[in-house]
Amino acid sequence: MKKLLILFMTVLLALPGFSQFSVGPRLGVNFAKITGKYNKDDDSKGGWITGLEFGAVGNYEFSDMISLTAELLFITDGDKTSFNVSDGEKSTLSSEYDYKFSERYHYMQLPVLVKFVFGSDFQFYGNLGPYFGYKIGGHYKTNFDNNTTKGRIRFKKDKVKDDDWYQDPKDYRRFDLGMYLGGGVQKQVGPGKLGADLRFGMGFLDTNKFDSKDDKQNAKDNGYKSFRNMNISLTLTYMYDLSK
């Protein structure tokens, strides 16, 4: 991912004859959940979590209407899961306890978006493009029958401590690839442009891994549905034009 960022910025800065290059911060809130089911008897209910999103943005304008944006973001994805009591009986996956579980994963993310701008003074825009993400950490929290446990999510076995949850890279995917679609508004305020951005993101990759294609097919035959990141983010940017 680091090599991809360096290559992209090198190519972007090497492009001659275009009008404007601007940079600035991005800060806001991210609403995330993870889609998926383990099997046909999985009656768990997923919910949204809220996390902080921030980072740096670079934007290169090819014309007044079209530009290319690269961002380096810190973003929180994850999910809340609950197994509820229904009609006086415990759910299938919580035969002994009422169970609630939340997981928060911290990603470094690189979106590369094409941006289409409309208007002059008060501008509207839409954007679309892929993102590349890498999971750098996480936290979890469980509640069994009102007993709470929480800890960190670790990816290196020698770092695991009491109450930590170890995720073996052989079984859990740290890399993520997806697509963003969104839009917003922007206006010149002082020396830069202030913008408000709303976007929807969907991951393409299953966060779980399987030993073989046969294992994955067997899981699908039993009702397994891929676990993929999904998020809605609302952020503010303030972009400074470096070409002036």
Side-chain angles (χ1 to χ4, degrees):
M1 183 176 175
K2 185 184 294 185
K3 292 181 180 179
L4 180 62
L5 177 61
I6 294 173
L7 176 61
F8 177 79
M9 295 305 296
T10 301
V11 172
L12 191 63
L13 292 173
L15 292 173
F18 296 106
S19 56
Q20 290 182 336
F21 182 69
S22 57
V23 297
R26 178 179 298 281
L27 176 64
V29 64
N30 183 58
F31 306 95
K33 70 177 299 183
I34 301 176
T35 65
K37 293 288 184 181
Y38 281 105
N39 53 58
K40 59 185 178 182
D41 296 322
D42 184 352
D43 57 356
S44 60
K45 295 182 179 180
W48 297 82
I49 66 165
T50 304
L52 190 65
E53 176 178 336
F54 62 89
V57 183
N59 185 71
Y60 207 107
E61 293 187 12
F62 296 96
S63 70
D64 291 338
M65 292 185 62
I66 301 176
S67 61
L68 188 63
T69 300
E71 304 173 351
L72 184 61
L73 304 176
F74 174 90
I75 188 170
T76 300
D77 281 329
D79 192 59
K80 290 181 179 179
T81 306
S82 62
F83 305 101
N84 297 322
V85 176
S86 177
D87 296 328
E89 296 183 359
K90 303 289 185 180
S91 65
T92 304
L93 296 184
S94 56
S95 58
E96 297 182 3
Y97 305 100
D98 291 325
Y99 174 70
K100 294 182 180 180
F101 173 72
S102 65
E103 50 191 325
R104 294 174 177 270
Y105 298 102
H106 311 306
Y107 281 85
M108 292 302 300
Q109 196 178 85
L110 174 62
V112 181
L113 311 175
V114 179
K115 183 176 179 181
F116 304 92
V117 181
F118 308 93
S120 54
D121 181 32
F122 195 80
Q123 298 178 318
F124 296 88
Y125 66 85
N127 49 33
L128 171 70
Y131 72 78
F132 310 89
Y134 189 75
K135 192 185 300 180
I136 59 174
H139 294 81
Y140 80 92
K141 182 178 180 181
T142 65
N143 187 291
F144 287 90
D145 203 21
N146 295 321
N147 295 317
T148 300
T149 302
K150 57 185 178 180
R152 296 187 63 177
I153 300 172
R154 307 268 188 178
F155 311 110
K156 294 183 179 180
K157 200 167 186 178
D158 60 343
K159 300 292 185 181
V160 176
K161 301 178 181 178
D162 292 343
D163 292 331
D164 285 350
W165 174 22
Y166 171 59
Q167 287 196 351
D168 192 332
K170 294 180 181 179
D171 300 321
Y172 297 92
R173 195 183 311 277
R174 297 183 69 179
F175 178 75
D176 191 25
L177 170 66
M179 180 70 70
Y180 273 125
L181 173 65
V185 294
Q186 61 186 27
K187 180 179 175 57
Q188 190 76 29
V189 178
K193 284 186 178 180
L194 177 65
D197 187 281
L198 176 65
R199 65 179 63 164
F200 171 79
M202 188 71 200
F204 297 149
L205 303 180
D206 193 343
T207 59
N208 295 322
K209 292 182 179 180
F210 290 86
D211 291 335
S212 66
K213 291 183 179 180
D214 289 340
D215 288 344
K216 188 169 186 176
Q217 186 59 51
N218 291 335
K220 287 184 176 180
D221 292 341
N222 197 36
Y224 178 86
K225 295 182 180 180
S226 297
F227 287 74
R228 299 187 294 169
N229 290 317
M230 180 169 66
N231 66 74
I232 299 172
S233 62
L234 178 61
T235 58
L236 296 176
T237 58
Y238 193 73
M239 304 296 293
Y240 297 90
D241 184 1
L242 298 183
S243 63
K244 293 181 179 179

